[in-house]
Amino acid sequence: MSLETVQSFLSRYAPDIEVMTRDVSLASVNDAAKGLGVTPPQIAKTMALIQGDTPILLVLRGDARLNNRKYRDQFGVKAKMISPEDVEAITRHPVGGVCPFGLPEKIPVYCDISLKDFDEVFPAAGSPGAALRISPSRLADLTEATWVNVAK
């Protein structure tokens, strides 16, 4: 179902972007890089966090880690991950397939500037076996993301 919501979103807003599916898991950064034939930093990992009662999605390059101080300076709160059980309920995407496309309702999306190191990145596409290829600027445009600097 989640893969279908991503495909529906893309058919409406970016019909030129094709979802790539694989028979292997693309759920981790390393698995995705291997399965797609790219380097781990090129994977655009999506983290689901909660700020008070508001969920947000943060997309960063695959080898980046969240810098807690930068995050607190940017958002005014400590970073708090959404539990794996709640991620799917909020995004309709299973862990390993979470992405900022095809969401059931508007969730604020933030793209870390670390993505700008690449011409193309590879985010998940709603399923642990699906991904897509996109430029960081287009990813931000399609998801109405705000650029932030919160990675180390």
Side-chain angles (χ1 to χ4, degrees):
M1 171 104 144
S2 185
L3 175 59
E4 289 80 18
T5 64
V6 172
Q7 290 171 322
S8 176
F9 174 88
L10 293 173
S11 70
R12 182 172 181 187
Y13 298 105
D16 59 306
I17 296 177
E18 181 181 335
V19 172
M20 301 175 285
T21 57
R22 299 291 188 268
D23 291 333
V24 298
S25 175
L26 306 175
S28 73
V29 168
N30 288 333
D31 289 345
K34 184 177 178 181
L36 297 169
V38 298
T39 64
Q42 290 174 279
I43 301 303
K45 65 182 174 185
T46 302
M47 299 173 65
L49 299 112
I50 191 89
Q51 296 178 347
D53 294 331
T54 305
I56 70 160
L57 296 179
L58 174 63
V59 187
L60 358 98
R61 64 183 270 166
D63 63 345
R65 295 185 52 184
L66 190 61
N67 180 308
N68 288 319
R69 181 182 170 104
K70 285 182 175 181
Y71 186 92
R72 186 177 301 129
D73 289 348
Q74 174 72 45
F75 294 106
V77 296
K78 182 179 176 182
K80 183 179 178 189
M81 298 293 292
I82 297 174
S83 71
E85 300 79 32
D86 291 337
V87 167
E88 190 165 2
I90 292 169
T91 66
R92 299 298 190 263
H93 303 320
V95 173
V98 176
C99 66
F101 311 107
L103 302 167
E105 58 188 59
K106 182 75 174 139
I107 296 174
V109 175
Y110 297 88
C111 287
D112 187 77
I113 62 169
S114 63
L115 295 170
K116 292 183 177 184
D117 291 341
F118 304 99
D119 293 332
E120 294 179 319
V121 292
F122 298 81
S127 156
L132 57 92
R133 174 192 316 250
I134 191 169
S135 72
S137 61
R138 186 140 186 229
L139 187 156
D141 289 345
L142 283 173
T143 61
E144 299 177 8
T146 300
W147 287 102
V148 295
N149 180 4
V150 294
K152 50 175 153 178

